Amino acid sequence: MALETDFIVIGSGIAGLRAAIEIAQAGARVTVFTKQKTDDSNTQYAQGGVAVVLSDDDNAELHEEDTLYAGAGLCDVEAVKTLVEGGTRYIQELIEWGTEFDREGGKLIFTKEAAHSRRRILHAHGDATGKEISRALIAKARQEKNISILPFTATEGLIVRDGHCCGVRYIDALLKAPREMFAKAVILCTGGAGQIYLHTTNPEVATGDGMAMAYFAGAEIADIEFVQFHPTVLSLENAPRFLLSEAMRGEGGILRNKYGERFMFNYHELGELAPRDVVSRSIVAEMKRTGTRTAFLDMTEKDEEFLKHRFPKIYETCKFYGLNIAKDLLPVSPAVHYFMGGMRTDLDGRSTVTGLYGAGEVTCTGVHGANRLASNSLLEGLVFGARAGAAALADSQKSKVESRKSADTDIGHWTLDIELSTAVKKRVKRVMWERVGIGRNADDLRRAIKEFEQIEQAKLGIASRNFVAVAKLVAQGALWREESRGGHYRDDFPERDDEHFQVHSIQKLGAEISTSEKINFVVD
Ligand code: SIN
């Protein structure tokens, strides 16, 4: 007998939990699948904060303008409005639910980050914003009797019957056996795919499996070639890549080359606070010019007590690796941080497959365009998570859970391969870093695609198949986009080409790449 619930949410970061709470509060049952522990998600690692219009000198138009500028001509204006206008309400709700953002004299503190024209970033416990939001949302979700959370439960595929997504295939955590669960709708909130690159700020769980599941279920994948590199990631031999928050530059941090020279103003009038893609490429250019493997973040003009209090996690982590952030120059280089593209959805999380919804980094609503504005991602998860939950509920008012087994959902044929093959993982990560990285060209991209096709010839488990599939989608999109824009830079096409490429790339199983002027679409 197959299991049933009303709604399935995959992923327990900010988007997944917010969607689940929306559904549970309306009285429906919701089951949340999560690959590792409930709090193991990209949300947990978000340092800098969450951008929101709440301060007296700010307004929605300014936040929208900054988001559109960073997005380099590819944002959907309606999506940006939805984010910014919904953001204020949903952040206030998050505060009512117990999230403790940092305050001074009872008033919220706002910081500044790159490409923001106002101080509008809320943070918590200095540099542990994601962890605090995650704590509050998990506590709230645990109070909802309609929410069941299944930790350590990897989903491997979506069940689609007669064009309707009605369940998931997964591995039972205790029995280690394949199972199916059916529901009225499935909401994908699986986060991004940073792990397909050698160097990333993302945790181990960010393998892009949600994007792959959506693709194999027939959903459209949009703009996946736009990959954001975070400029300032701690770069030490024998130490994991650790994010040095953008907020450090917001608080006055300076980027220097190996001669100690400040260089960002040679590249952009906003200096250290230029959009992320500009800062990342400038660091790479400066590293090349001076023949070094890192640039340096200089916080030494700041008082040690201030830094300890403002960036406690960063202070302690750097200390562990022998660096005092108030005294030493911090070696940094860019690493993959965020995917602007993903499963194409409308403004309420509907994908192009009926019954399949999504929110957060796994999706592409058009809100980030070609490059995400710093600290817009927690906001995105929150706003679009709530909207996806509400839409799934509203659309399913009259539908029943389908739990008949059929040939195409026969679980007898598939194997227990929840583990990603180490060999596949290593090879894909290296190829992505070397050939589909911060500067791209047609030769490298073609060779990357060829390598991925070779890997696909082998008998792969589902996790490995998904991993390669996402890498190939990025490389294909990058090869198709013969221009440079936002998070996508082509050495052989260094200019932005609005005439031919101010459109979104759309990839779908079994079809050539197509384009669309808008991400938002009308569902019949
Ligand atoms: C950071 O703290 O720099 C990361 C914030 C973000 O990616 O928006």
Side-chain angles (χ1 to χ4, degrees):
M1 173 71 189
L3 295 170
E4 279 186 22
T5 183
D6 291 330
F7 295 90
I8 290 170
V9 171
I10 311 179
S12 57
I14 187 168
L17 292 174
R18 187 59 191 80
I21 292 167
E22 189 72 18
I23 293 169
Q25 288 189 332
R29 293 170 302 163
V30 51
T31 302
V32 179
F33 287 78
T34 185
K35 260 201 296 199
Q36 293 292 327
K37 289 191 302 179
T38 307
D39 63 3
D40 198 352
S41 66
N42 248 344
T43 298
Q44 180 78 3
Y45 295 85
Q47 294 178 355
V50 53
V52 63
V53 177
L54 274 175
S55 81
D56 295 342
D57 72 338
D58 201 3
N59 62 53
E61 287 73 39
L62 288 173
H63 189 182
E64 284 163 24
E65 268 170 31
D66 294 345
T67 303
L68 293 169
Y69 176 71
L74 265 197
C75 294
D76 265 17
V77 176
E78 282 309 307
V80 174
K81 277 188 187 304
T82 305
L83 174 83
V84 171
E85 284 161 20
T88 306
R89 165 185 158 205
Y90 288 113
I91 288 287
Q92 275 165 334
E93 179 188 69
L94 209 53
I95 294 171
E96 280 158 30
W97 291 352
T99 309
E100 291 180 5
F101 291 112
D102 293 336
R103 292 174 185 263
E104 202 159 38
K107 283 191 147 186
L108 290 167
I109 306 171
F110 297 92
T111 194
K112 191 160 166 29
E113 286 183 0
H116 285 274
S117 57
R118 290 289 184 279
R119 294 182 78 89
R120 66 164 73 92
I121 321 291
L122 293 178
H123 47 86
H125 308 295
D127 54 7
T129 315
K131 196 166 175 196
E132 170 59 12
I133 291 178
S134 187
R135 180 201 64 73
L137 279 176
I138 291 172
K140 178 80 184 159
R142 291 207 165 119
Q143 286 165 12
E144 296 291 341
K145 64 179 184 354
N146 287 326
I147 298 181
S148 313
I149 302 182
L150 300 181
F152 300 102
T153 308
T155 41
E156 294 212 329
L158 300 167
I159 302 171
V160 180
R161 188 175 298 161
D162 300 329
H164 185 111
C165 180
C166 57
V168 296
R169 303 186 176 103
Y170 66 100
I171 305 290
D172 183 283
L174 288 176
L175 303 173
K176 301 282 175 246
R179 289 278 179 272
E180 293 177 330
M181 187 180 284
F182 290 85
K184 293 176 184 174
V186 176
I187 308 178
L188 271 182
C189 303
T190 47
Q195 281 295 330
I196 65 172
Y197 281 89
L198 192 59
H199 299 300
T200 178
T201 60
N202 290 189
E204 286 286 323
V205 288
T207 55
D209 45 358
M211 292 172 188
M213 284 193 283
Y215 174 69
F216 287 116
E220 290 181 357
I221 306 295
D223 287 349
I224 197 165
E225 62 273 21
F226 293 110
V227 177
Q228 183 174 77
F229 284 70
H230 196 291
T232 53
V233 181
L234 186 64
S235 184
L236 288 170
E237 295 285 332
N238 306 324
R241 293 298 170 107
F242 176 73
L243 183 68
L244 299 185
S245 177
E246 184 120 9
M248 294 177 85
R249 278 171 286 128
E251 296 288 358
I254 291 171
L255 283 166
R256 299 196 184 277
N257 63 22
K258 76 166 178 187
Y259 305 114
E261 296 158 346
R262 186 176 193 176
F263 60 82
M264 266 314 300
F265 282 99
N266 301 339
Y267 294 93
H268 196 280
E269 61 190 9
L270 292 174
E272 280 79 4
L273 294 183
R276 266 183 199 174
D277 59 312
V278 176
V279 182
S280 293
R281 280 196 305 279
S282 307
I283 290 177
V284 170
E286 199 64 12
M287 280 160 34
K288 263 194 196 142
R289 198 181 69 77
T290 57
T292 45
R293 298 175 67 155
T294 68
F296 297 90
L297 180 62
D298 179 359
M299 300 299 294
T300 57
E301 288 197 0
K302 291 277 163 187
D303 175 66
E304 184 159 354
E305 279 314 302
F306 166 79
L307 291 174
K308 224 187 220 178
H309 180 73
R310 178 67 184 84
F311 301 110
K313 172 96 177 132
I314 294 173
Y315 183 88
E316 285 306 322
T317 306
C318 288
K319 191 168 155 202
F320 181 80
Y321 291 111
L323 294 168
N324 179 337
I325 64 172
K327 298 204 166 86
D328 298 314
L329 292 186
L330 311 172
V332 291
S333 60
V336 166
H337 187 57
Y338 189 88
F339 276 66
M340 272 66 76
M343 180 175 81
R344 181 184 188 184
T345 70
D346 73 0
L347 299 183
D348 294 301
R350 294 179 190 91
S351 76
T352 49
V353 172
T354 317
L356 178 60
Y357 299 74
E361 191 175 348
V362 66
T363 62
C364 181
T365 55
V367 80
H368 305 305
N371 190 22
R372 175 177 64 88
L373 182 67
S375 286
N376 265 354
S377 57
L378 289 173
L379 197 67
E380 173 194 24
L382 192 66
V383 172
F384 291 100
R387 293 177 70 92
L393 265 169
D395 296 348
S396 322
Q397 283 306 332
K398 293 194 192 109
S399 59
K400 285 204 208 108
V401 178
E402 286 272 347
S403 66
R404 270 176 306 115
K405 284 197 185 161
S406 65
D408 70 333
T409 65
D410 186 346
I411 57 175
H413 295 302
W414 48 294
T415 52
L416 279 176
D417 49 10
I418 37 177
E419 294 301 329
L420 180 57
S421 141
T422 311
V424 169
K425 188 174 172 182
K426 268 191 165 165
R427 192 162 160 204
V428 169
K429 281 165 95 68
R430 179 145 307 273
V431 173
M432 287 302 285
W433 188 255
E434 288 172 358
R435 303 203 183 282
V436 197
I438 211 162
R440 303 162 170 180
N441 65 67
D443 280 354
D444 278 346
L445 292 167
R446 283 202 189 94
R447 284 168 71 174
I449 293 168
K450 215 167 174 186
E451 285 221 35
F452 298 145
E453 283 167 354
Q454 273 169 9
I455 299 172
E456 282 174 334
Q457 300 299 312
K459 194 167 166 14
L460 297 179
I462 290 176
S464 302
R465 179 200 67 170
N466 285 350
F467 198 72
V468 187
V470 175
K472 198 166 123 190
L473 287 168
V474 178
Q476 286 172 173
L479 180 63
W480 167 81
R481 187 173 285 281
E482 294 182 334
E483 64 154 357
S484 291
R485 180 192 296 271
H488 167 73
Y489 190 85
R490 287 278 300 257
D491 298 323
D492 47 355
F493 292 96
E495 303 301 327
R496 174 168 150 177
D497 177 358
D498 281 351
E499 195 190 336
H500 300 102
F501 288 100
Q502 196 163 25
V503 285
H504 303 281
S505 69
I506 307 291
Q507 299 193 61
K508 192 172 174 207
L509 189 64
E512 296 282 310
I513 293 188
S514 61
T515 61
S516 171
E517 295 210 339
K518 276 176 79 71
I519 288 293
N520 194 11
F521 55 91
V522 179
V523 180
D524 309 326

